[in-house]
Coordinates of all heavy atoms in Angstrom, one line a residue:
K620 N -17.1 33.4 54.8 CA -16.0 33.7 54.0 C -15.7 32.6 53.0 O -14.9 32.8 52.1 CB -14.7 33.9 54.8 CG -14.8 35.1 55.8 CD -14.6 36.4 55.0 CE -13.1 36.7 54.7 NZ -12.9 38.0 54.1
D621 N -16.4 31.5 53.1 CA -16.1 30.3 52.2 C -16.8 30.5 50.9 O -17.8 31.2 50.8 CB -16.7 29.0 52.8 CG -15.9 28.6 54.1 OD1 -14.7 28.9 54.1 OD2 -16.5 28.0 55.0
L622 N -16.2 29.9 49.9 CA -16.7 30.0 48.5 C -16.9 28.6 47.9 O -16.2 27.7 48.1 CB -15.7 30.8 47.6 CG -15.6 32.3 47.8 CD1 -14.5 32.9 47.0 CD2 -16.9 33.0 47.5
H623 N -18.0 28.5 47.1 CA -18.2 27.3 46.3 C -17.2 27.3 45.1 O -17.1 28.3 44.4 CB -19.6 27.2 45.7 CG -20.6 27.0 46.8 ND1 -20.8 25.8 47.5 CD2 -21.6 27.8 47.3 CE1 -21.8 26.0 48.3 NE2 -22.3 27.2 48.2
K624 N -16.5 26.2 44.9 CA -15.6 26.1 43.8 C -16.3 25.6 42.6 O -17.1 24.7 42.6 CB -14.4 25.2 44.2 CG -13.5 25.6 45.3 CD -12.4 24.7 45.5 CE -11.5 25.2 46.7 NZ -10.4 24.3 46.9
K625 N -15.9 26.2 41.5 CA -16.6 25.9 40.2 C -15.9 24.6 39.6 O -15.3 24.7 38.5 CB -16.6 27.1 39.2 CG -17.5 28.2 39.7 CD -17.6 29.2 38.6 CE -18.4 28.6 37.4 NZ -18.6 29.6 36.3
D626 N -16.1 23.5 40.2 CA -15.6 22.3 39.6 C -16.4 21.1 40.2 O -17.4 21.3 40.9 CB -14.1 22.1 39.9 CG -13.7 22.3 41.4 OD1 -14.6 22.1 42.2 OD2 -12.6 22.7 41.7
D627 N -15.9 19.9 40.0 CA -16.6 18.7 40.5 C -16.2 18.4 41.9 O -16.6 17.3 42.4 CB -16.3 17.5 39.6 CG -16.8 17.7 38.2 OD1 -17.8 18.5 38.0 OD2 -16.2 17.2 37.2
D628 N -15.5 19.3 42.6 CA -15.0 19.0 43.9 C -16.1 18.7 44.9 O -16.1 17.8 45.7 CB -14.1 20.1 44.4 CG -13.3 19.7 45.6 OD1 -12.8 18.6 45.6 OD2 -13.1 20.6 46.5
F629 N -17.2 19.5 44.8 CA -18.3 19.4 45.7 C -19.0 18.0 45.6 O -19.2 17.3 46.6 CB -19.3 20.5 45.5 CG -20.5 20.4 46.4 CD1 -20.5 20.9 47.7 CD2 -21.7 19.9 45.9 CE1 -21.6 20.8 48.5 CE2 -22.8 19.8 46.7 CZ -22.8 20.3 48.0
E630 N -19.3 17.6 44.4 CA -20.0 16.4 44.2 C -19.1 15.2 44.6 O -19.5 14.2 45.2 CB -20.4 16.2 42.7 CG -21.2 15.0 42.4 CD -21.7 14.9 41.0 OE1 -22.2 16.0 40.5 OE2 -21.5 13.9 40.3
K631 N -17.8 15.3 44.3 CA -16.9 14.2 44.6 C -16.8 14.0 46.1 O -16.8 12.9 46.7 CB -15.5 14.5 44.1 CG -14.4 13.5 44.4 CD -13.1 13.9 43.8 CE -12.0 12.9 44.2 NZ -11.8 12.8 45.6
K632 N -16.7 15.2 46.9 CA -16.5 15.1 48.3 C -17.8 14.6 48.9 O -17.8 13.9 49.9 CB -16.2 16.4 48.9 CG -14.7 16.8 48.6 CD -14.4 18.1 49.4 CE -12.9 18.4 49.2 NZ -12.5 19.6 49.9
L633 N -19.0 15.0 48.3 CA -20.2 14.5 48.8 C -20.3 13.0 48.8 O -20.7 12.3 49.8 CB -21.4 15.1 48.0 CG -22.8 14.9 48.5 CD1 -23.7 16.0 48.1 CD2 -23.4 13.6 48.0
F634 N -19.9 12.4 47.6 CA -20.0 10.9 47.5 C -18.9 10.2 48.4 O -19.1 9.1 48.9 CB -19.8 10.5 46.1 CG -21.1 10.7 45.3 CD1 -21.1 11.6 44.2 CD2 -22.3 10.1 45.6 CE1 -22.3 11.8 43.5 CE2 -23.4 10.3 44.9 CZ -23.4 11.2 43.8
D635 N -17.7 10.9 48.5 CA -16.7 10.3 49.4 C -17.2 10.2 50.8 O -17.0 9.2 51.5 CB -15.5 11.2 49.4 CG -14.7 11.0 48.1 OD1 -15.0 10.0 47.3 OD2 -13.8 11.9 47.8
N636 N -17.9 11.2 51.3 CA -18.5 11.2 52.6 C -19.6 10.2 52.8 O -19.8 9.5 53.8 CB -18.9 12.6 53.0 CG -17.8 13.5 53.5 OD1 -17.5 13.5 54.6 ND2 -17.2 14.2 52.5
L637 N -20.4 10.1 51.7 CA -21.5 9.1 51.7 C -21.0 7.7 51.8 O -21.5 6.9 52.6 CB -22.3 9.2 50.4 CG -23.5 8.3 50.2 CD1 -24.5 8.4 51.4 CD2 -24.2 8.5 48.9
F638 N -19.9 7.3 51.1 CA -19.3 6.0 51.1 C -18.7 5.7 52.5 O -18.7 4.6 53.0 CB -18.3 5.8 50.0 CG -18.9 5.9 48.6 CD1 -18.2 6.3 47.5 CD2 -20.3 5.6 48.4 CE1 -18.7 6.4 46.3 CE2 -20.9 5.7 47.2 CZ -20.1 6.1 46.1
T639 N -18.0 6.8 53.0 CA -17.4 6.6 54.4 C -18.5 6.4 55.4 O -18.3 5.5 56.3 CB -16.6 7.9 54.7 OG1 -15.7 8.2 53.7 CG2 -16.0 7.8 56.1
F640 N -19.6 7.0 55.3 CA -20.7 6.8 56.2 C -21.2 5.3 56.2 O -21.4 4.7 57.2 CB -21.9 7.7 55.9 CG -23.1 7.4 56.6 CD1 -23.3 7.8 57.9 CD2 -24.2 6.7 56.0 CE1 -24.5 7.5 58.6 CE2 -25.3 6.4 56.6 CZ -25.5 6.8 57.9
V641 N -21.3 4.8 54.9 CA -21.8 3.4 54.8 C -20.8 2.5 55.5 O -21.2 1.5 56.1 CB -22.0 3.1 53.3 CG1 -22.3 1.6 53.1 CG2 -23.2 3.9 52.7
R642 N -19.5 2.7 55.3 CA -18.6 1.8 55.9 C -18.6 1.9 57.4 O -18.6 0.9 58.1 CB -17.2 2.2 55.4 CG -16.9 1.7 53.9 CD -15.4 1.8 53.6 NE -15.0 3.2 53.5 CZ -15.0 3.9 52.4 NH1 -15.4 3.4 51.3 NH2 -14.6 5.2 52.4
L643 N -18.7 3.1 57.9 CA -18.8 3.3 59.4 C -20.0 2.7 60.0 O -20.0 2.0 61.0 CB -18.7 4.8 59.7 CG -17.4 5.4 60.0 CD1 -17.5 6.9 60.2 CD2 -16.7 4.8 61.1
E644 N -21.1 2.9 59.3 CA -22.4 2.3 59.8 C -22.3 0.8 59.9 O -22.8 0.2 60.8 CB -23.5 2.8 58.9 CG -24.9 2.4 59.4 CD -26.0 2.7 58.4 OE1 -25.7 2.5 57.2 OE2 -27.0 3.2 58.8
S645 N -21.7 0.2 58.9 CA -21.6 -1.3 58.8 C -20.7 -1.7 60.0 O -21.0 -2.8 60.6 CB -21.0 -1.7 57.5 OG -20.9 -3.1 57.5
M646 N -19.7 -1.0 60.3 CA -18.8 -1.4 61.4 C -19.5 -1.3 62.7 O -19.2 -2.1 63.6 CB -17.5 -0.5 61.4 CG -16.6 -0.7 60.3 SD -15.3 0.5 60.4 CE -14.4 0.2 58.8
M647 N -20.4 -0.4 62.9 CA -21.0 -0.2 64.2 C -22.2 -1.1 64.4 O -22.8 -1.1 65.5 CB -21.5 1.3 64.3 CG -20.3 2.2 64.3 SD -20.9 3.9 64.4 CE -19.3 4.8 64.3
E648 N -22.7 -1.8 63.4 CA -23.9 -2.6 63.6 C -23.6 -3.7 64.7 O -22.6 -4.3 64.7 CB -24.3 -3.3 62.3 CG -25.0 -2.3 61.4 CD -25.5 -3.0 60.1 OE1 -25.0 -4.1 59.8 OE2 -26.4 -2.4 59.4
G649 N -24.6 -4.0 65.5 CA -24.5 -5.0 66.5 C -24.1 -4.5 67.8 O -24.1 -5.2 68.8
C650 N -23.8 -3.2 67.9 CA -23.5 -2.6 69.2 C -24.6 -1.8 69.7 O -25.5 -1.4 69.0 CB -22.2 -1.8 69.1 SG -20.7 -2.7 68.9
S651 N -24.7 -1.6 71.0 CA -25.8 -0.8 71.6 C -25.3 0.4 72.4 O -24.1 0.6 72.6 CB -26.6 -1.7 72.5 OG -25.9 -2.0 73.7
D652 N -26.3 1.1 72.9 CA -26.0 2.3 73.6 C -26.9 2.5 74.8 O -28.1 2.5 74.6 CB -26.2 3.5 72.6 CG -25.5 4.7 73.2 OD1 -24.9 4.6 74.2 OD2 -25.6 5.8 72.5
S653 N -26.3 2.5 75.9 CA -27.1 2.8 77.1 C -27.2 4.3 77.3 O -28.2 4.8 77.8 CB -26.5 2.2 78.4 OG -25.1 2.7 78.5
D654 N -26.2 5.0 76.8 CA -26.3 6.5 76.7 C -26.3 6.8 75.2 O -25.7 6.1 74.4 CB -25.0 7.1 77.3 CG -24.9 6.8 78.8 OD1 -25.9 6.7 79.5 OD2 -23.7 6.5 79.2
E655 N -27.0 7.8 74.9 CA -27.0 8.2 73.5 C -25.7 8.7 73.0 O -25.1 9.6 73.6 CB -28.1 9.2 73.2 CG -29.5 8.5 73.3 CD -30.6 9.5 73.1 OE1 -30.3 10.7 73.1 OE2 -31.7 9.1 72.9
Y656 N -25.1 8.1 72.0 CA -23.8 8.5 71.5 C -23.9 8.7 70.0 O -24.6 8.0 69.3 CB -22.8 7.3 71.9 CG -21.4 7.6 71.5 CD1 -20.6 8.2 72.4 CD2 -20.9 7.2 70.3 CE1 -19.2 8.5 72.1 CE2 -19.6 7.5 69.9 CZ -18.8 8.1 70.8 OH -17.5 8.4 70.5
S657 N -23.1 9.7 69.6 CA -23.2 9.9 68.1 C -21.7 10.1 67.6 O -20.8 10.4 68.3 CB -23.9 11.2 67.8 OG -23.4 12.3 68.5
V658 N -21.6 9.8 66.4 CA -20.3 9.9 65.7 C -20.4 11.0 64.8 O -21.0 11.0 63.7 CB -19.9 8.6 65.0 CG1 -18.6 8.7 64.3 CG2 -19.9 7.4 65.9
Y659 N -19.7 12.1 65.1 CA -19.6 13.3 64.2 C -18.5 14.1 64.7 O -18.0 14.0 65.8 CB -20.9 14.1 64.2 CG -21.4 14.6 65.6 CD1 -20.9 15.8 66.1 CD2 -22.2 13.8 66.4 CE1 -21.2 16.2 67.3 CE2 -22.6 14.3 67.6 CZ -22.1 15.5 68.1 OH -22.4 15.9 69.3
G660 N -18.1 15.0 63.9 CA -17.0 15.9 64.3 C -15.7 15.2 64.6 O -15.3 14.3 63.9
Q661 N -15.1 15.6 65.6 CA -13.8 14.9 66.0 C -14.1 13.6 66.7 O -14.8 13.5 67.7 CB -13.0 15.8 67.0 CG -12.8 17.2 66.4 CD -12.1 17.2 65.1 OE1 -11.2 16.4 64.9 NE2 -12.6 18.0 64.1
Q662 N -13.6 12.5 66.1 CA -13.9 11.2 66.7 C -13.2 11.0 68.0 O -12.1 11.4 68.2 CB -13.4 10.1 65.7 CG -13.9 10.2 64.3 CD -15.4 9.8 64.3 OE1 -15.8 9.0 65.1 NE2 -16.1 10.4 63.4
T663 N -14.0 10.4 69.0 CA -13.4 10.2 70.3 C -12.4 9.0 70.2 O -12.5 8.2 69.3 CB -14.5 9.9 71.3 OG1 -15.1 8.7 71.0 CG2 -15.5 11.1 71.4
Q664 N -11.6 8.9 71.2 CA -10.7 7.8 71.3 C -11.4 6.5 71.4 O -11.0 5.5 70.9 CB -9.7 8.0 72.4 CG -8.6 6.9 72.5 CD -7.7 7.1 71.3 OE1 -7.3 8.1 70.9 NE2 -7.3 5.9 70.6
Q665 N -12.5 6.5 72.1 CA -13.3 5.3 72.3 C -13.8 4.8 70.9 O -13.7 3.6 70.6 CB -14.6 5.6 73.1 CG -14.5 5.0 74.5 CD -15.8 5.1 75.2 OE1 -16.6 6.0 74.9 NE2 -16.1 4.3 76.2
S666 N -14.4 5.7 70.1 CA -14.9 5.2 68.8 C -13.7 4.8 67.9 O -13.9 3.8 67.1 CB -15.7 6.4 68.1 OG -14.8 7.4 67.9
R667 N -12.6 5.4 68.0 CA -11.5 5.0 67.2 C -11.0 3.6 67.6 O -10.7 2.7 66.8 CB -10.3 6.0 67.3 CG -10.6 7.3 66.6 CD -9.4 8.3 66.8 NE -9.8 9.6 66.3 CZ -9.7 9.9 65.0 NH1 -9.3 9.0 64.1 NH2 -10.0 11.1 64.6
D668 N -10.9 3.4 68.9 CA -10.5 2.0 69.4 C -11.5 1.0 68.9 O -11.1 -0.1 68.6 CB -10.5 2.0 70.9 CG -9.3 2.9 71.5 OD1 -8.4 3.2 70.7 OD2 -9.3 3.2 72.7
F669 N -12.8 1.3 68.9 CA -13.8 0.4 68.5 C -13.6 0.0 67.0 O -13.6 -1.2 66.6 CB -15.2 0.9 68.7 CG -16.3 0.2 68.0 CD1 -16.7 -1.1 68.4 CD2 -16.8 0.8 66.8 CE1 -17.6 -1.7 67.7 CE2 -17.8 0.1 66.2 CZ -18.2 -1.2 66.6
L670 N -13.3 1.0 66.2 CA -13.2 0.8 64.8 C -11.9 0.0 64.5 O -11.9 -0.9 63.6 CB -13.1 2.1 64.0 CG -14.4 2.9 64.0 CD1 -14.2 4.3 63.4 CD2 -15.5 2.2 63.3
L671 N -10.8 0.3 65.2 CA -9.6 -0.5 65.1 C -9.8 -1.9 65.5 O -9.3 -2.9 64.8 CB -8.5 0.1 65.9 CG -8.0 1.5 65.4 CD1 -7.0 2.1 66.4 CD2 -7.3 1.4 64.0
A672 N -10.5 -2.1 66.6 CA -10.8 -3.5 67.1 C -11.6 -4.2 66.1 O -11.5 -5.4 65.8 CB -11.5 -3.5 68.4
K673 N -12.6 -3.5 65.5 CA -13.5 -4.1 64.5 C -12.6 -4.6 63.3 O -12.8 -5.7 62.7 CB -14.5 -3.1 64.0 CG -15.5 -3.6 63.0 CD -16.5 -4.5 63.6 CE -17.5 -4.9 62.5 NZ -18.5 -5.9 63.0
N674 N -11.7 -3.7 62.8 CA -10.9 -4.1 61.7 C -10.0 -5.3 62.0 O -9.6 -6.0 61.1 CB -10.1 -2.9 61.2 CG -11.0 -1.8 60.6 OD1 -12.0 -2.2 60.1 ND2 -10.6 -0.6 60.6
N675 N -9.6 -5.4 63.3 CA -8.7 -6.5 63.6 C -9.4 -7.8 64.0 O -8.8 -8.8 64.4 CB -7.8 -6.1 64.8 CG -6.9 -5.0 64.5 OD1 -6.4 -4.9 63.3 ND2 -6.6 -4.1 65.4
G676 N -10.8 -7.8 63.9 CA -11.5 -9.0 64.2 C -11.9 -9.1 65.6 O -12.6 -10.0 66.0
N677 N -11.5 -8.2 66.5 CA -11.9 -8.2 67.9 C -13.2 -7.4 68.0 O -13.2 -6.2 68.1 CB -10.8 -7.6 68.8 CG -9.5 -8.3 68.6 OD1 -9.5 -9.5 68.4 ND2 -8.4 -7.5 68.6
T678 N -14.3 -8.1 68.0 CA -15.6 -7.4 67.8 C -16.3 -7.2 69.2 O -17.4 -6.9 69.2 CB -16.5 -8.3 66.9 OG1 -16.5 -9.6 67.4 CG2 -15.9 -8.3 65.5
C679 N -15.6 -7.5 70.3 CA -16.2 -7.2 71.6 C -15.7 -5.9 72.1 O -14.5 -5.7 72.2 CB -15.9 -8.4 72.5 SG -16.8 -8.2 74.1
T680 N -16.6 -5.0 72.5 CA -16.2 -3.7 73.0 C -17.3 -3.2 74.0 O -18.4 -3.6 73.9 CB -16.0 -2.7 71.9 OG1 -15.7 -1.5 72.4 CG2 -17.3 -2.5 71.0
S681 N -16.8 -2.4 74.9 CA -17.8 -1.9 75.8 C -18.3 -0.5 75.4 O -19.0 0.1 76.1 CB -17.1 -1.7 77.2 OG -16.0 -0.8 77.1
T682 N -17.9 -0.1 74.2 CA -18.4 1.2 73.7 C -19.9 1.1 73.4 O -20.4 0.2 72.8 CB -17.6 1.6 72.4 OG1 -16.3 1.6 72.7 CG2 -18.0 3.0 71.9
D683 N -20.6 2.2 73.8 CA -22.1 2.2 73.6 C -22.4 3.1 72.4 O -21.9 4.2 72.3 CB -22.8 2.8 74.8 CG -22.7 1.9 76.0 OD1 -22.7 0.7 75.8 OD2 -22.7 2.4 77.1
L684 N -23.1 2.5 71.4 CA -23.4 3.2 70.2 C -24.9 3.1 69.9 O -25.6 2.2 70.4 CB -22.6 2.6 69.0 CG -21.1 2.7 69.2 CD1 -20.4 1.9 68.1 CD2 -20.6 4.1 69.1
T685 N -25.4 3.9 69.0 CA -26.7 3.7 68.4 C -26.6 3.7 66.9 O -25.6 4.2 66.3 CB -27.6 4.9 68.8 OG1 -27.1 6.1 68.3 CG2 -27.8 5.0 70.3
V686 N -27.6 3.1 66.3 CA -27.7 3.2 64.8 C -29.0 3.8 64.5 O -29.9 3.8 65.2 CB -27.6 1.8 64.2 CG1 -26.2 1.1 64.5 CG2 -28.7 0.9 64.6
S687 N -29.0 4.4 63.3 CA -30.2 5.1 62.8 C -30.8 4.3 61.8 O -30.4 4.3 60.6 CB -29.8 6.5 62.3 OG -30.9 7.1 61.7
S688 N -31.9 3.6 62.1 CA -32.6 2.8 61.1 C -33.6 3.6 60.4 O -34.1 3.2 59.3 CB -33.3 1.6 61.8 OG -34.2 2.1 62.8

Side-chain angles (χ1 to χ4, degrees):
K620 295 284 283 185
D621 293 328
L622 289 171
H623 292 289
K624 295 182 179 179
K625 290 192 65 177
D626 51 26
D627 297 329
D628 195 40
F629 177 80
E630 186 177 311
K631 178 181 179 298
K632 287 188 176 181
L633 188 151
F634 284 118
D635 287 345
N636 280 270
L637 179 60
F638 296 154
T639 303
F640 169 80
V641 172
R642 286 192 291 269
L643 269 175
E644 185 186 42
S645 178
M646 292 177 185
M647 292 178 185
E648 282 185 345
C650 290
S651 70
D652 196 2
S653 56
D654 302 319
E655 286 179 348
Y656 183 88
S657 58
V658 180
Y659 58 86
Q661 306 304 317
Q662 303 291 330
T663 64
Q664 187 64 46
Q665 251 188 337
S666 64
R667 290 180 185 275
D668 292 342
F669 166 72
L670 293 175
L671 291 174
K673 178 76 176 175
N674 289 334
N675 293 329
N677 301 323
T678 55
C679 184
T680 178
S681 60
T682 305
D683 292 328
L684 300 170
T685 61
V686 298
S687 174
S688 61

